[in-house]
Amino acid sequence: MHTIAVLALDQVIPFDLSTPIEVFTRTRLPDGRPGYQIRVCAERPETDAGAFSLRAPWGLEGLQGADTIIVPGTAVPTAPLAPAVRDALRAAAQDSTRIASICSGTFPLAATGLLDGMRATTHWIVAGLLATTYPDIEVDPDVLYVDNGQILTSAGAAAGLDLCLHMIRKDYGSAVAADAARLSVMPLEREGGQAQFIVHDYAPTPQGSTLDPLLGWLQDNLGTDLTLADIAAHAGTSTRTLIRRFREQTGTTPLQWLHRARIRQAQHLLESTHHTVERIGAQVGFGSPTAFRDRFKKTTGVSPHSYRRAFS
């Protein structure tokens, strides 16, 4: 039987902790036998879980001999990692134990150095913080999970379910994983990635930025077919100067900013109106429904129709 150790760190997020416990304890093999044995482990006898405290039946010794270790997210992802925990995770990696993180659990895993040079993900809201704190990690904020073989990471909250089902499929095949997915009332494969859940804010600009009037004008004219020359002409400057100012003040280009603003407006219209996809594409300035669908899927990871089904 495959043994999974779930590591409850201080300020553990209860949802992230319970996800692997529920999914794996309910997994059954074709002959009815359980597929997994679960150990809940912690550094200390009592762990703060926010709304409550928990007493794990295993200490860090429970990580030894486990086939898989899962690190759930914590409410304070940048909290220092205890040396004993760091050493236990490194020792497990040396023993070829599979190690996975859920949500912000990527941070303590990153603190061990085990993710250096690898691609990883976490909850989109702290993906930028992960990239800044650990520059040796290639952070992908758009996907639901990343499988590097021995080391796996997942995005926020429900993406932990996707990761668990993925591991079940690797361990026991698609039929067992599909049965576990049905028990979790989840599709075995979700359409799209984490990108569809990201709030695509406009690139920030400093207070009192000289671009403020231009950005307001662009926002009011999302439905207009605008070229770089049109934007520069309205700003009363050359295209070269316009691009330089945008880079300096927003970190992006005028057309990239415009595309992001159009997709954000399209998301709002898909959520709040019954307009057809074709009409919404035209409203936000795309010349054809195909161009709109392609850009929307490239940005969010799903089609406009799928986005509407999920969020309207």
Side-chain angles (χ1 to χ4, degrees):
M1 185 186 298
H2 193 111
T3 299
I4 291 185
V6 182
L7 178 58
L9 298 174
D10 201 38
Q11 289 287 306
V12 66
I13 297 172
F15 187 94
D16 297 348
L17 176 70
S18 64
T19 295
I21 296 171
E22 282 296 302
V23 174
F24 289 116
T25 55
R26 293 176 183 272
T27 301
R28 291 291 180 269
L29 303 184
D31 61 5
R33 291 181 297 117
Y36 298 92
Q37 172 185 335
I38 304 294
R39 301 175 185 169
V40 179
C41 310
E43 180 193 4
R44 295 188 298 273
E46 187 167 299
T47 300
D48 182 2
F52 57 90
S53 296
L54 64 90
R55 290 185 175 275
W58 293 80
L60 293 180
E61 77 282 355
L63 304 181
Q64 299 172 13
D67 299 291
T68 298
I69 296 171
I70 297 180
V71 185
T74 66
V76 187
T78 56
L81 187 65
V85 176
R86 179 198 61 208
D87 293 345
L89 290 173
R90 286 178 176 174
Q94 288 257 332
D95 289 340
S96 301
T97 303
R98 182 172 64 183
I99 304 176
S101 65
I102 295 176
C103 192
S104 59
T106 305
F107 281 80
L109 189 53
T112 67
L114 295 174
L115 285 172
D116 287 357
M118 292 187 181
R119 180 167 158 261
T121 193
T122 187
H123 194 295
W124 63 267
I125 207 166
V126 291
L129 178 61
L130 180 67
T132 301
T133 308
Y134 299 101
D136 291 335
I137 299 173
E138 180 190 346
V139 179
D140 187 343
D142 295 337
V143 296
L144 294 173
Y145 58 83
V146 174
D147 183 349
N148 289 298
Q150 183 186 3
I151 310 293
L152 304 90
T153 56
S154 71
L161 282 166
D162 297 281
L163 178 62
C164 291
L165 294 172
H166 171 71
M167 289 191 286
I168 293 170
R169 183 168 53 190
K170 290 186 70 174
D171 294 340
Y172 293 115
S174 295
V176 173
D179 185 55
R182 282 190 290 271
L183 287 172
S184 299
V185 197
M186 277 279 294
L188 185 54
E189 286 283 352
R190 276 202 287 170
E191 184 178 3
Q194 190 177 198
Q196 63 189 296
F197 304 101
I198 297 174
V199 178
H200 292 278
D201 290 326
Y202 310 122
T205 55
Q207 190 171 11
S209 165
T210 58
L211 286 178
D212 280 349
L214 179 61
L215 298 181
W217 177 78
L218 287 173
Q219 183 62 37
D220 291 338
N221 289 275
L222 295 179
T224 305
D225 184 14
L226 296 172
T227 65
L228 186 61
D230 294 330
I231 300 171
H234 183 83
T237 187
S238 68
T239 55
R240 179 175 295 182
T241 299
L242 178 71
I243 292 171
R244 177 174 55 79
R245 288 179 180 170
F246 255 81
R247 285 286 188 195
E248 291 172 350
Q249 298 184 36
T250 71
T252 187
T253 68
L255 292 182
Q256 286 172 339
W257 191 97
L258 186 61
H259 283 316
R260 181 183 287 186
R262 284 172 167 164
I263 294 302
R264 184 180 181 184
Q265 180 64 13
Q267 288 175 302
H268 170 70
L269 292 172
L270 287 166
E271 294 168 15
S272 60
T273 75
H274 296 292
H275 298 171
T276 65
V277 168
E278 291 75 14
R279 179 178 173 182
I280 289 174
Q283 283 179 279
V284 297
F286 288 90
S288 73
T290 300
F292 170 55
R293 290 189 180 95
D294 289 347
R295 173 62 64 171
F296 192 93
K297 187 163 187 176
K298 182 178 181 181
T299 303
T300 67
V302 294
S303 69
H305 285 294
S306 296
Y307 184 89
R308 170 171 271 168
R309 284 198 302 270
F311 294 101
S312 65

